[in-house]
Every structure is written in C-alpha cells, then in structure tokens.
Amino acid sequence: MVEGIYVFENLSATEGIPLFNDGYSSLIIMPSQQHNSNVSYQNQSTEVHALWVCGTLQEQALWNNPQGLEQMLVVRFFPHVLPSLFPMHVQQLKEQPILNFEQLLDPKIYMEFTALYYKKTRLQDQLQALQGLLRKIYKPVESLPPLLVERISLYKEETAYLGRNASPKEAPVNYKWWQRNFKKYMGMGPKRFAEAQRLLYAYALMDANSSLNLMEIALQCGYYDANHLIKDFKKQIGYSPKFFFNR
C-alpha cells in the first residue's frame, strides 16, 4: 500500500518547490493544524491546509511554503492503491490532483484522526495513529507482482542507463507483459516513469550543488546533452535550471 514514509526536518520558507509526477500519490502532513500554504498548478493557486493530498500531476506544479517548518511528513502510496483508499473520489482526484485531506474523508473520521494525530508529540506515536487510519479506510486490492516491484527498484537504481531505454537492462521479462503491467499498476508507461526518475536525479544533483556543470549532470543522468536536460527541466517545472536555482 505505502511506498514509503519520509520525514523532512528544518525546512525554510520556500517559494516554488516542484511537485514531480512519478506516478506515486502523496499525503502531506504539516506539523501544526494551523499551517496553510498553496500550490500553483495550471495557472491556478490552491490553498492547502495541514493535511493535503498530491495526486498524479503532469507538469509545472509548484508548492509555495511561506512558513518555515520544523518537520513535515510525506506518505507515498503506490498508484494502484489510491482508488481503494478513496473510492468515491477517484474521478475528482484525476480532475483536481491537489486536494485537502478533509475533502476525501468522512468528516467524523477526519476529525477523530486529526485530534489523535496532533495530540501525539512523538513521531512513533503519530505514525501509529496514521497506521490506524489507513487500516480503517483501506480496502485490499491486488498486490504488485513481485517481479514488477523488483524491476521498479532497478529503474530507480539505474537512472543514468534508463535515460535512453524503455526497460532495465537486466530485466528477463516478456516485453508485452512488462508494458501492460507497468501501465496497469503505475498509471504510466515505463518510458515516462524512467524520464521522471531521470529528472528527479538531475534535480537532486543541481539542488545539492549549484556549481556543477550542466553538461556533466546531463551526461551523468542519461541526457544526450545540456540542452536536452534544460528542455526537459523547463517543460516539467516551467523555468530553466539557471533561472530556477538563482531565484
């Protein structure tokens, strides 16, 4: 059900944090019930509250966080799980991929969960409260085939190679099976997923060290050259790397 739970600490106030689309939907939990921010998507600004859901986005979605954060929790779900969590809101999530969590849950369940979650002060206790909520609303669905899980992990590990290939080099699987099941469970084709992982890797390198040469990053991440990286970056984020990181 859950791909991973990530804790981010000591985040400064930041404008325009990209929300990448790699197929996984996320539940974002702020440290305080009073925390509000907004997301810019398709020339529209959506106010998000303390708990909000980021569905599968396409391009140029940016989170604007005007307040510093001591801690932020991000829960990432496998794409095929989302309909079982919010069966009444599948179409709504497709049309509005940024929604406040309260729009997706029964009001009573939402109020009970937030009261319990924010009453806890230890991360371990908060995670237990979250686990209890997911057990309550989750209806089991078909699990990802083990071979598909293995190959998805390989995708993430071989970002540089994947930039120019549609499937991992070590994947001894039927190509049609691979394409069909990848699309079924991940909501996008293998090539699109590989491109997303490549851009994520390039973004992380540029964010960690802005002095790195774009050509070096491009080649390291599987792009043909710097222009290829710039074009992809601008398409997905809306700005060139130089402008974005020098803001």
Side-chain angles (χ1 to χ4, degrees), residues 15-176:
E15 295 293 316
I17 300 175
L19 301 175
F20 292 99
N21 173 25
D22 63 348
Y24 296 88
S25 297
S26 299
L27 168 63
I28 295 89
I29 305 179
M30 299 297 162
S32 165
Q33 281 185 276
Q34 288 71 47
H35 188 101
N36 292 330
S37 53
N38 70 81
V39 174
S40 301
Y41 176 58
Q42 292 186 343
N43 298 318
Q44 294 183 348
S45 180
T46 300
E47 182 180 57
V48 290
H49 302 157
L51 293 92
W52 52 283
V53 172
C54 173
T56 52
L57 300 171
Q58 297 303 314
E59 299 167 358
Q60 301 182 21
L62 303 173
W63 176 47
N64 303 304
N65 174 43
Q67 308 172 46
L69 294 175
E70 293 182 2
Q71 178 178 290
M72 179 178 74
L73 196 69
V74 176
V75 184
R76 287 186 18 119
F77 301 99
F78 285 105
H80 75 294
V81 169
L82 205 62
S84 72
L85 288 172
F86 311 111
M88 304 298 292
H89 301 277
V90 175
Q91 188 60 35
Q92 186 180 12
L93 279 165
K94 290 181 180 178
E95 297 172 356
Q96 299 174 264
I98 299 294
L99 289 170
N100 285 299
F101 201 37
E102 62 210 63
Q103 296 175 260
L104 302 173
L105 286 183
D106 176 274
K108 182 179 179 181
I109 293 177
Y110 177 80
M111 291 181 66
E112 289 176 349
F113 169 68
T114 52
L116 177 61
Y117 181 89
Y118 285 108
K119 181 180 177 181
K120 307 296 183 181
T121 56
R122 296 194 312 159
L123 177 61
Q124 181 180 358
D125 295 333
Q126 291 174 332
L127 292 176
Q128 287 180 349
L130 177 62
Q131 186 179 49
L133 170 69
L134 295 178
R135 285 176 176 171
K136 180 180 292 188
I137 66 174
Y138 178 63
K139 295 178 175 57
V141 294
E142 184 182 0
S143 300
L144 267 72
L147 184 57
L148 186 64
V149 174
E150 178 186 342
R151 296 314 171 197
I152 290 173
S153 298
L154 193 61
Y155 252 48
K156 295 179 180 180
E157 293 171 3
E158 297 187 356
T159 304
Y161 181 86
L162 293 169
R164 301 168 186 153
N165 294 271
S167 60
K169 57 186 178 183
E170 300 297 334
V173 296
N174 179 275
Y175 184 75
K176 289 184 178 180

Side-chain angles (χ1 to χ4, degrees), residues 193-244:
F193 183 80
E195 290 171 348
Q197 296 302 314
R198 179 178 63 186
L199 182 59
L200 277 167
Y201 186 38
Y203 179 91
L205 289 176
M206 288 184 280
D207 188 44
N209 188 349
S210 59
S211 65
L212 288 176
N213 182 277
L214 273 183
M215 179 61 82
E216 293 177 2
I217 294 175
L219 296 178
Q220 184 175 342
C221 296
Y223 290 95
Y224 290 107
D225 53 30
N227 287 334
H228 187 196
L229 168 57
I230 292 170
K231 182 180 179 180
D232 196 22
F233 192 98
K234 192 171 183 178
K235 177 184 177 183
Q236 296 299 322
I237 297 177
Y239 304 99
S240 69
K242 182 178 180 180
F243 180 87
F244 183 84

